[in-house]
Amino acid sequence: MVFAAPGEALTRAEEVLGADPSPLHASVAHQVIGIWQRDFGDTRQALAHLRRARDLAARAGSAEREADVLATLGVALVHAGRTREGLAAFERGVARGSGHTRARVLFRRAYVWWVLGRHGEALEDVRRAIPVLRQADDVIWTARALTLRATVHLAQGSVERAEADFTAAEALWDTTGQEHDKADAVESRGLAAFRAGDVPAALRLLDEAEERYAKLGTPTFMLTIRRCEVLMAAGLATEALAEADAALATLDGIGGQSTRRAELLLVAARAARLAGEPQTSLARAAVAVRLFAGQRRTWYETHARLVLIEARAATGGGSGRLVADAAAVAERLAVFGAPAAPEASLLAGRIALGLGWTADAERHLAVAARSRHSGPPLARMTGWAAQALRARAAGSARGVLEACRRGLDVLDDHRMTLGASELRARATAQGAELAALAQRASLVSGGPRRLLDWSERWRATVLSAPPTRPPADPVLLTAMTAFRELASRAEEARTDGGRPAPALEREQRRLEREIRSRTLHMRGEAPGGGDRFDVGRLLRRLGDDVRLVELAVLDGRVHALLCGQGRVRRFEAGLLAEAEVEAEHVQAGLRRLAHPGAEARLPLVEAAGARLQHLLLGPAAAHLGPGPVVVVPPGRLHRVPWALLPALRERVLSVSPSASSWLRARDTAPPPGGRLVLVRGPGLASGGAEVPELADRYAGPRTAAGDGPGPPSPGDATGTGGPSAAPRVSPPVGGGAESARRGRDGTGRARPGAERHGLADGPGAGAAARGGTVVLEGDEARVPRVLRELDGAALAHIAAHGTFRADSPLFSSLRMADGPLIVHDFERLDRSPYRIILPCCDTARFASVGADELLGLVTALLPLGTAGVVACTAPVNDAAAVPLMLALHKGVEAGLSLAEALRDARTSLPGDAVHQATGWAFSAFGAA
């Protein structure tokens, strides 16, 4: 019962002991309490109860009972770090037991061998146990033995054997009521999915196991360890570190197993290293090494030493001692048959290369390179990285590029199995070294064209393929609705009382975790690695007038690749670190200029813009020609207000995450007709004052019920635009019956899949379906309605408070009447609007993740069918943004692109500092 209903088993055992039982029955009760404390509580109490159970079994004169308790005691002793005593208990248990009992003892000793990392002994004991357990028709213990054997197979990299055993065990578990064992089986299947390279399935199964454990009320430290491994493979190392540290605190608080503590320290050390915290990694790994050594767990100790060496290399550089240590670890891991052996050989080779020891490096890298043809994707990438370093050491640029291409192809295949855009973005970090090696090689041997090709190979790759649509998941949709309601209530509490509501915010964070968790379960749908970049096609599309400047960063220096007039030229600019510092100064200046009275800072901001131009464009600024310019910056420069740079200030200027993204936006066709959607959210300082005027301009005279004020002056901080009671719908922009089919079929029915994504028709939706201009404000500006109208629109203008979430970019939001409209909501659209204008602060902020990926609102829209976005890269004066928006729409009405209209709108503003800063803060993204 202790593994079917642990809490009930504990209660029943305590009741037995309270009823003056016989020694035999008392032995069973103490053993049950000992098991519960061993696995879910205090190890010291577990040992006390199990020793009492052993003594009572001896008093009862039952050799079989004594053998069974000795096996349980042996497991507890090993988990307490007392390995020698634990193995001695097993020796006595095997000697005392016979037949069926001995088979159970052997199974538990096999488990201990696995804990100790001695996989050969584990397989031998389980091989001896399984036939006896089957002959005795012991379904539960046979299933446990099969699960254990599968787990050992996984530790040795034998995924197919493991899956066969897991399948057989699961069939047996289905015939039992062993709920804890069933949860463990689900957890094990999650581990198998991870080892097979299926990260979404692994996360889904581990989350399911966690739900099962939660119902039983049992801690899940092994689950945490496995989940952290998957999170690290998914590029979520910071989260893995936080989870491991939290589990360590919980384990220490209950006096839990010493073995689990060592394993949690190891996974925390690995996570810290991947998260860029080498000192934390060093500290965690050093303690883990000592614990594993004391527990006589050589397999784990060797893995911990690998992380320790990696952390030392990251903090103190290379040395001959580190090369020798890494090589010794690689040899031991190879003897164990551990999948991590190539990583250790790669580390030894990389350190040796840094020291100039080419012969030693070649020897170690050759060993690591053997893994490039087999195993899971990340193991193959390790092999290709080793092969690329070998080629570089040999002076073969062609060999470097070939190895990098093959390795990044493996990463592409892996990335496309991930459905969540966040996981796709973060997974690219695995290819950063390969991409950097290829860029250096192409700079030396291939000229600017090849450098551009490789710069694109790893830039904004998430945008190179359509995203996976969220599933028709009622639980997900319910969680998103509840999240929105709670967020709205929390915002009201802050607004009314000026203080946060902790209970609401805690529940909001819980719902965020649930939404994100279910989103990460999505599998990728798109085959292949998305569009392949073609330099020739780019040059043809640019023609003679347009220039595209892609900024590549090599060894910390910016290189401007100027594309146009049928050629690519390279110009060396400044240091990336200096440009980042200057960009932060500019951001601070623009924040000050958003408030009246800071006019004296305007020359300082303009001077900073000139310095940024020198650092980012260098000599390329003098060769831009008179036509439009497209800037493709690296992710770390996404907040640069490009219109502030003197050479770009009077230009038709657009920004794109990659040249490939710009090409796709350029080739995106607008939807039929021209439905315009105007949205005005609550609480804006300007009241969203441009929306009523735009509604009048596009839709004709307004009714008195919907009247709102004109644009306030820049000094007005309390605009009072009045919401109307219902959306206004007018004829389509430019007219035409084609608008009736926008986002719908010819009958006016909702598109297939609209209901699946929670976008089915609601009140008033039919009017929007007829095309024209839809104005949503007041209570009509609610997320479900806004999403319905945005889907397939030609142009959307959303005046709403923007909030950027650096901690969780896909929860960045626009504030609607019923709460936040988040990036996850936009991903449910079948087609996002062809053009979107976002006039409020923080709408063009991104988180730079992975190799060179951006997560945020704009980058979520571009793969969904949006070809052009105007958004804000810095805080602005809401009132000053109103005339800019009105002038921008005037240009759009005249048939200009967003970039052209934004250039003209800037020139139409008054010359004071507030309006100038407002114009510089907005950028046009894409190509529409």
Side-chain angles (χ1 to χ4, degrees), residues 793-812:
L795 174 63
H797 179 107
I798 308 177
H801 270 304
T803 300
F804 175 71
R805 288 278 301 276
D807 63 319
S808 191
L810 298 188
F811 281 94
S812 299

mmCIF file with all atom_site columns, all heavy atoms in Angstrom, residues 793-812:
data_model
loop_
_atom_site.group_PDB
_atom_site.id
_atom_site.type_symbol
_atom_site.label_atom_id
_atom_site.label_alt_id
_atom_site.label_comp_id
_atom_site.label_asym_id
_atom_site.label_entity_id
_atom_site.label_seq_id
_atom_site.pdbx_PDB_ins_code
_atom_site.Cartn_x
_atom_site.Cartn_y
_atom_site.Cartn_z
_atom_site.occupancy
_atom_site.B_iso_or_equiv
_atom_site.pdbx_formal_charge
_atom_site.auth_seq_id
_atom_site.auth_comp_id
_atom_site.auth_asym_id
_atom_site.auth_atom_id
_atom_site.pdbx_PDB_model_num
ATOM 1   N N   . ALA A 1 793 ? -7.111 40.807 -40.658 1.00 0.00 ? 793 ALA A N   1
ATOM 2   C CA  . ALA A 1 793 ? -7.336 42.211 -41.005 1.00 0.00 ? 793 ALA A CA  1
ATOM 3   C C   . ALA A 1 793 ? -6.196 42.734 -41.875 1.00 0.00 ? 793 ALA A C   1
ATOM 4   O O   . ALA A 1 793 ? -5.086 42.206 -41.862 1.00 0.00 ? 793 ALA A O   1
ATOM 5   C CB  . ALA A 1 793 ? -7.448 43.048 -39.740 1.00 0.00 ? 793 ALA A CB  1
ATOM 6   N N   . ALA A 1 794 ? -6.487 43.792 -42.619 1.00 0.00 ? 794 ALA A N   1
ATOM 7   C CA  . ALA A 1 794 ? -5.460 44.407 -43.452 1.00 0.00 ? 794 ALA A CA  1
ATOM 8   C C   . ALA A 1 794 ? -4.599 45.371 -42.656 1.00 0.00 ? 794 ALA A C   1
ATOM 9   O O   . ALA A 1 794 ? -3.389 45.480 -42.882 1.00 0.00 ? 794 ALA A O   1
ATOM 10  C CB  . ALA A 1 794 ? -6.102 45.145 -44.620 1.00 0.00 ? 794 ALA A CB  1
ATOM 11  N N   . LEU A 1 795 ? -5.212 46.080 -41.715 1.00 0.00 ? 795 LEU A N   1
ATOM 12  C CA  . LEU A 1 795 ? -4.487 47.058 -40.916 1.00 0.00 ? 795 LEU A CA  1
ATOM 13  C C   . LEU A 1 795 ? -5.122 47.109 -39.533 1.00 0.00 ? 795 LEU A C   1
ATOM 14  O O   . LEU A 1 795 ? -6.351 47.163 -39.406 1.00 0.00 ? 795 LEU A O   1
ATOM 15  C CB  . LEU A 1 795 ? -4.531 48.445 -41.572 1.00 0.00 ? 795 LEU A CB  1
ATOM 16  C CG  . LEU A 1 795 ? -3.921 49.609 -40.774 1.00 0.00 ? 795 LEU A CG  1
ATOM 17  C CD1 . LEU A 1 795 ? -2.426 49.398 -40.560 1.00 0.00 ? 795 LEU A CD1 1
ATOM 18  C CD2 . LEU A 1 795 ? -4.168 50.940 -41.498 1.00 0.00 ? 795 LEU A CD2 1
ATOM 19  N N   . ALA A 1 796 ? -4.287 47.071 -38.503 1.00 0.00 ? 796 ALA A N   1
ATOM 20  C CA  . ALA A 1 796 ? -4.779 47.193 -37.132 1.00 0.00 ? 796 ALA A CA  1
ATOM 21  C C   . ALA A 1 796 ? -3.989 48.272 -36.427 1.00 0.00 ? 796 ALA A C   1
ATOM 22  O O   . ALA A 1 796 ? -2.766 48.372 -36.570 1.00 0.00 ? 796 ALA A O   1
ATOM 23  C CB  . ALA A 1 796 ? -4.631 45.859 -36.387 1.00 0.00 ? 796 ALA A CB  1
ATOM 24  N N   . HIS A 1 797 ? -4.718 49.092 -35.676 1.00 0.00 ? 797 HIS A N   1
ATOM 25  C CA  . HIS A 1 797 ? -4.106 50.127 -34.844 1.00 0.00 ? 797 HIS A CA  1
ATOM 26  C C   . HIS A 1 797 ? -4.578 49.857 -33.426 1.00 0.00 ? 797 HIS A C   1
ATOM 27  O O   . HIS A 1 797 ? -5.776 49.937 -33.127 1.00 0.00 ? 797 HIS A O   1
ATOM 28  C CB  . HIS A 1 797 ? -4.556 51.516 -35.314 1.00 0.00 ? 797 HIS A CB  1
ATOM 29  C CG  . HIS A 1 797 ? -3.998 52.643 -34.492 1.00 0.00 ? 797 HIS A CG  1
ATOM 30  N ND1 . HIS A 1 797 ? -3.011 53.479 -34.957 1.00 0.00 ? 797 HIS A ND1 1
ATOM 31  C CD2 . HIS A 1 797 ? -4.296 53.079 -33.239 1.00 0.00 ? 797 HIS A CD2 1
ATOM 32  C CE1 . HIS A 1 797 ? -2.727 54.373 -34.031 1.00 0.00 ? 797 HIS A CE1 1
ATOM 33  N NE2 . HIS A 1 797 ? -3.508 54.152 -32.972 1.00 0.00 ? 797 HIS A NE2 1
ATOM 34  N N   . ILE A 1 798 ? -3.643 49.501 -32.536 1.00 0.00 ? 798 ILE A N   1
ATOM 35  C CA  . ILE A 1 798 ? -4.004 49.110 -31.178 1.00 0.00 ? 798 ILE A CA  1
ATOM 36  C C   . ILE A 1 798 ? -3.375 50.098 -30.209 1.00 0.00 ? 798 ILE A C   1
ATOM 37  O O   . ILE A 1 798 ? -2.167 50.037 -29.936 1.00 0.00 ? 798 ILE A O   1
ATOM 38  C CB  . ILE A 1 798 ? -3.546 47.677 -30.853 1.00 0.00 ? 798 ILE A CB  1
ATOM 39  C CG1 . ILE A 1 798 ? -4.037 46.697 -31.925 1.00 0.00 ? 798 ILE A CG1 1
ATOM 40  C CG2 . ILE A 1 798 ? -4.057 47.259 -29.475 1.00 0.00 ? 798 ILE A CG2 1
ATOM 41  C CD1 . ILE A 1 798 ? -3.558 45.275 -31.724 1.00 0.00 ? 798 ILE A CD1 1
ATOM 42  N N   . ALA A 1 799 ? -4.195 51.009 -29.697 1.00 0.00 ? 799 ALA A N   1
ATOM 43  C CA  . ALA A 1 799 ? -3.740 51.962 -28.690 1.00 0.00 ? 799 ALA A CA  1
ATOM 44  C C   . ALA A 1 799 ? -4.032 51.361 -27.323 1.00 0.00 ? 799 ALA A C   1
ATOM 45  O O   . ALA A 1 799 ? -5.178 51.343 -26.881 1.00 0.00 ? 799 ALA A O   1
ATOM 46  C CB  . ALA A 1 799 ? -4.457 53.296 -28.867 1.00 0.00 ? 799 ALA A CB  1
ATOM 47  N N   . ALA A 1 800 ? -3.021 50.840 -26.695 1.00 0.00 ? 800 ALA A N   1
ATOM 48  C CA  . ALA A 1 800 ? -3.208 50.171 -25.409 1.00 0.00 ? 800 ALA A CA  1
ATOM 49  C C   . ALA A 1 800 ? -1.890 50.163 -24.661 1.00 0.00 ? 800 ALA A C   1
ATOM 50  O O   . ALA A 1 800 ? -0.813 50.133 -25.264 1.00 0.00 ? 800 ALA A O   1
ATOM 51  C CB  . ALA A 1 800 ? -3.697 48.739 -25.615 1.00 0.00 ? 800 ALA A CB  1
ATOM 52  N N   . HIS A 1 801 ? -1.988 50.179 -23.339 1.00 0.00 ? 801 HIS A N   1
ATOM 53  C CA  . HIS A 1 801 ? -0.783 50.098 -22.514 1.00 0.00 ? 801 HIS A CA  1
ATOM 54  C C   . HIS A 1 801 ? -0.006 48.836 -22.859 1.00 0.00 ? 801 HIS A C   1
ATOM 55  O O   . HIS A 1 801 ? -0.549 47.732 -22.864 1.00 0.00 ? 801 HIS A O   1
ATOM 56  C CB  . HIS A 1 801 ? -1.154 50.044 -21.037 1.00 0.00 ? 801 HIS A CB  1
ATOM 57  C CG  . HIS A 1 801 ? -1.248 51.395 -20.391 1.00 0.00 ? 801 HIS A CG  1
ATOM 58  N ND1 . HIS A 1 801 ? -0.214 52.300 -20.404 1.00 0.00 ? 801 HIS A ND1 1
ATOM 59  C CD2 . HIS A 1 801 ? -2.257 51.992 -19.715 1.00 0.00 ? 801 HIS A CD2 1
ATOM 60  C CE1 . HIS A 1 801 ? -0.583 53.396 -19.762 1.00 0.00 ? 801 HIS A CE1 1
ATOM 61  N NE2 . HIS A 1 801 ? -1.819 53.233 -19.340 1.00 0.00 ? 801 HIS A NE2 1
ATOM 62  N N   . GLY A 1 802 ? 1.281  48.995 -23.121 1.00 0.00 ? 802 GLY A N   1
ATOM 63  C CA  . GLY A 1 802 ? 2.131  47.845 -23.375 1.00 0.00 ? 802 GLY A CA  1
ATOM 64  C C   . GLY A 1 802 ? 2.987  47.530 -22.159 1.00 0.00 ? 802 GLY A C   1
ATOM 65  O O   . GLY A 1 802 ? 3.501  48.436 -21.502 1.00 0.00 ? 802 GLY A O   1
ATOM 66  N N   . THR A 1 803 ? 3.143  46.245 -21.863 1.00 0.00 ? 803 THR A N   1
ATOM 67  C CA  . THR A 1 803 ? 4.000  45.800 -20.760 1.00 0.00 ? 803 THR A CA  1
ATOM 68  C C   . THR A 1 803 ? 4.933  44.728 -21.286 1.00 0.00 ? 803 THR A C   1
ATOM 69  O O   . THR A 1 803 ? 4.470  43.713 -21.814 1.00 0.00 ? 803 THR A O   1
ATOM 70  C CB  . THR A 1 803 ? 3.170  45.226 -19.600 1.00 0.00 ? 803 THR A CB  1
ATOM 71  O OG1 . THR A 1 803 ? 2.281  46.232 -19.115 1.00 0.00 ? 803 THR A OG1 1
ATOM 72  C CG2 . THR A 1 803 ? 4.088  44.782 -18.460 1.00 0.00 ? 803 THR A CG2 1
ATOM 73  N N   . PHE A 1 804 ? 6.227  44.961 -21.152 1.00 0.00 ? 804 PHE A N   1
ATOM 74  C CA  . PHE A 1 804 ? 7.204  43.968 -21.588 1.00 0.00 ? 804 PHE A CA  1
ATOM 75  C C   . PHE A 1 804 ? 7.654  43.164 -20.384 1.00 0.00 ? 804 PHE A C   1
ATOM 76  O O   . PHE A 1 804 ? 7.971  43.710 -19.334 1.00 0.00 ? 804 PHE A O   1
ATOM 77  C CB  . PHE A 1 804 ? 8.416  44.639 -22.239 1.00 0.00 ? 804 PHE A CB  1
ATOM 78  C CG  . PHE A 1 804 ? 9.507  43.668 -22.588 1.00 0.00 ? 804 PHE A CG  1
ATOM 79  C CD1 . PHE A 1 804 ? 9.344  42.768 -23.620 1.00 0.00 ? 804 PHE A CD1 1
ATOM 80  C CD2 . PHE A 1 804 ? 10.694 43.645 -21.865 1.00 0.00 ? 804 PHE A CD2 1
ATOM 81  C CE1 . PHE A 1 804 ? 10.346 41.857 -23.939 1.00 0.00 ? 804 PHE A CE1 1
ATOM 82  C CE2 . PHE A 1 804 ? 11.701 42.753 -22.183 1.00 0.00 ? 804 PHE A CE2 1
ATOM 83  C CZ  . PHE A 1 804 ? 11.517 41.853 -23.217 1.00 0.00 ? 804 PHE A CZ  1
ATOM 84  N N   . ARG A 1 805 ? 7.687  41.841 -20.536 1.00 0.00 ? 805 ARG A N   1
ATOM 85  C CA  . ARG A 1 805 ? 8.089  40.951 -19.456 1.00 0.00 ? 805 ARG A CA  1
ATOM 86  C C   . ARG A 1 805 ? 9.446  40.342 -19.786 1.00 0.00 ? 805 ARG A C   1
ATOM 87  O O   . ARG A 1 805 ? 9.534  39.359 -20.513 1.00 0.00 ? 805 ARG A O   1
ATOM 88  C CB  . ARG A 1 805 ? 7.040  39.852 -19.277 1.00 0.00 ? 805 ARG A CB  1
ATOM 89  C CG  . ARG A 1 805 ? 5.734  40.331 -18.657 1.00 0.00 ? 805 ARG A CG  1
ATOM 90  C CD  . ARG A 1 805 ? 5.862  40.414 -17.148 1.00 0.00 ? 805 ARG A CD  1
ATOM 91  N NE  . ARG A 1 805 ? 6.213  39.109 -16.605 1.00 0.00 ? 805 ARG A NE  1
ATOM 92  C CZ  . ARG A 1 805 ? 5.317  38.165 -16.325 1.00 0.00 ? 805 ARG A CZ  1
ATOM 93  N NH1 . ARG A 1 805 ? 4.026  38.370 -16.498 1.00 0.00 ? 805 ARG A NH1 1
ATOM 94  N NH2 . ARG A 1 805 ? 5.705  36.994 -15.833 1.00 0.00 ? 805 ARG A NH2 1
ATOM 95  N N   . ALA A 1 806 ? 10.499 40.929 -19.254 1.00 0.00 ? 806 ALA A N   1
ATOM 96  C CA  . ALA A 1 806 ? 11.835 40.384 -19.522 1.00 0.00 ? 806 ALA A CA  1
ATOM 97  C C   . ALA A 1 806 ? 11.977 38.984 -18.958 1.00 0.00 ? 806 ALA A C   1
ATOM 98  O O   . ALA A 1 806 ? 12.694 38.147 -19.517 1.00 0.00 ? 806 ALA A O   1
ATOM 99  C CB  . ALA A 1 806 ? 12.897 41.306 -18.920 1.00 0.00 ? 806 ALA A CB  1
ATOM 100 N N   . ASP A 1 807 ? 11.271 38.688 -17.835 1.00 0.00 ? 807 ASP A N   1
ATOM 101 C CA  . ASP A 1 807 ? 11.390 37.372 -17.222 1.00 0.00 ? 807 ASP A CA  1
ATOM 102 C C   . ASP A 1 807 ? 10.655 36.303 -18.011 1.00 0.00 ? 807 ASP A C   1
ATOM 103 O O   . ASP A 1 807 ? 10.999 35.124 -17.960 1.00 0.00 ? 807 ASP A O   1
ATOM 104 C CB  . ASP A 1 807 ? 10.838 37.413 -15.797 1.00 0.00 ? 807 ASP A CB  1
ATOM 105 C CG  . ASP A 1 807 ? 9.345  37.750 -15.758 1.00 0.00 ? 807 ASP A CG  1
ATOM 106 O OD1 . ASP A 1 807 ? 8.920  38.639 -16.541 1.00 0.00 ? 807 ASP A OD1 1
ATOM 107 O OD2 . ASP A 1 807 ? 8.613  37.143 -14.968 1.00 0.00 ? 807 ASP A OD2 1
ATOM 108 N N   . SER A 1 808 ? 9.627  36.704 -18.755 1.00 0.00 ? 808 SER A N   1
ATOM 109 C CA  . SER A 1 808 ? 8.837  35.751 -19.539 1.00 0.00 ? 808 SER A CA  1
ATOM 110 C C   . SER A 1 808 ? 8.275  36.495 -20.748 1.00 0.00 ? 808 SER A C   1
ATOM 111 O O   . SER A 1 808 ? 7.139  36.965 -20.733 1.00 0.00 ? 808 SER A O   1
ATOM 112 C CB  . SER A 1 808 ? 7.706  35.167 -18.683 1.00 0.00 ? 808 SER A CB  1
ATOM 113 O OG  . SER A 1 808 ? 7.098  34.071 -19.320 1.00 0.00 ? 808 SER A OG  1
ATOM 114 N N   . PRO A 1 809 ? 9.066  36.643 -21.818 1.00 0.00 ? 809 PRO A N   1
ATOM 115 C CA  . PRO A 1 809 ? 8.712  37.539 -22.919 1.00 0.00 ? 809 PRO A CA  1
ATOM 116 C C   . PRO A 1 809 ? 7.362  37.240 -23.566 1.00 0.00 ? 809 PRO A C   1
ATOM 117 O O   . PRO A 1 809 ? 6.709  38.155 -24.063 1.00 0.00 ? 809 PRO A O   1
ATOM 118 C CB  . PRO A 1 809 ? 9.857  37.341 -23.918 1.00 0.00 ? 809 PRO A CB  1
ATOM 119 C CG  . PRO A 1 809 ? 10.986 36.812 -23.106 1.00 0.00 ? 809 PRO A CG  1
ATOM 120 C CD  . PRO A 1 809 ? 10.383 36.006 -22.019 1.00 0.00 ? 809 PRO A CD  1
ATOM 121 N N   . LEU A 1 810 ? 6.947  35.970 -23.584 1.00 0.00 ? 810 LEU A N   1
ATOM 122 C CA  . LEU A 1 810 ? 5.689  35.648 -24.253 1.00 0.00 ? 810 LEU A CA  1
ATOM 123 C C   . LEU A 1 810 ? 4.478  35.997 -23.400 1.00 0.00 ? 810 LEU A C   1
ATOM 124 O O   . LEU A 1 810 ? 3.339  35.794 -23.822 1.00 0.00 ? 810 LEU A O   1
ATOM 125 C CB  . LEU A 1 810 ? 5.666  34.177 -24.659 1.00 0.00 ? 810 LEU A CB  1
ATOM 126 C CG  . LEU A 1 810 ? 6.756  33.783 -25.662 1.00 0.00 ? 810 LEU A CG  1
ATOM 127 C CD1 . LEU A 1 810 ? 6.551  32.370 -26.168 1.00 0.00 ? 810 LEU A CD1 1
ATOM 128 C CD2 . LEU A 1 810 ? 6.819  34.753 -26.824 1.00 0.00 ? 810 LEU A CD2 1
ATOM 129 N N   . PHE A 1 811 ? 4.702  36.541 -22.200 1.00 0.00 ? 811 PHE A N   1
ATOM 130 C CA  . PHE A 1 811 ? 3.620  37.137 -21.419 1.00 0.00 ? 811 PHE A CA  1
ATOM 131 C C   . PHE A 1 811 ? 3.657  38.658 -21.505 1.00 0.00 ? 811 PHE A C   1
ATOM 132 O O   . PHE A 1 811 ? 2.933  39.332 -20.773 1.00 0.00 ? 811 PHE A O   1
ATOM 133 C CB  . PHE A 1 811 ? 3.681  36.679 -19.958 1.00 0.00 ? 811 PHE A CB  1
ATOM 134 C CG  . PHE A 1 811 ? 3.123  35.299 -19.762 1.00 0.00 ? 811 PHE A CG  1
ATOM 135 C CD1 . PHE A 1 811 ? 3.950  34.193 -19.786 1.00 0.00 ? 811 PHE A CD1 1
ATOM 136 C CD2 . PHE A 1 811 ? 1.763  35.094 -19.590 1.00 0.00 ? 811 PHE A CD2 1
ATOM 137 C CE1 . PHE A 1 811 ? 3.448  32.909 -19.625 1.00 0.00 ? 811 PHE A CE1 1
ATOM 138 C CE2 . PHE A 1 811 ? 1.245  33.818 -19.434 1.00 0.00 ? 811 PHE A CE2 1
ATOM 139 C CZ  . PHE A 1 811 ? 2.083  32.723 -19.453 1.00 0.00 ? 811 PHE A CZ  1
ATOM 140 N N   . SER A 1 812 ? 4.478  39.209 -22.386 1.00 0.00 ? 812 SER A N   1
ATOM 141 C CA  . SER A 1 812 ? 4.381  40.628 -22.702 1.00 0.00 ? 812 SER A CA  1
ATOM 142 C C   . SER A 1 812 ? 2.982  40.879 -23.242 1.00 0.00 ? 812 SER A C   1
ATOM 143 O O   . SER A 1 812 ? 2.403  40.030 -23.921 1.00 0.00 ? 812 SER A O   1
ATOM 144 C CB  . SER A 1 812 ? 5.437  41.029 -23.727 1.00 0.00 ? 812 SER A CB  1
ATOM 145 O OG  . SER A 1 812 ? 6.735  40.783 -23.211 1.00 0.00 ? 812 SER A OG  1
#
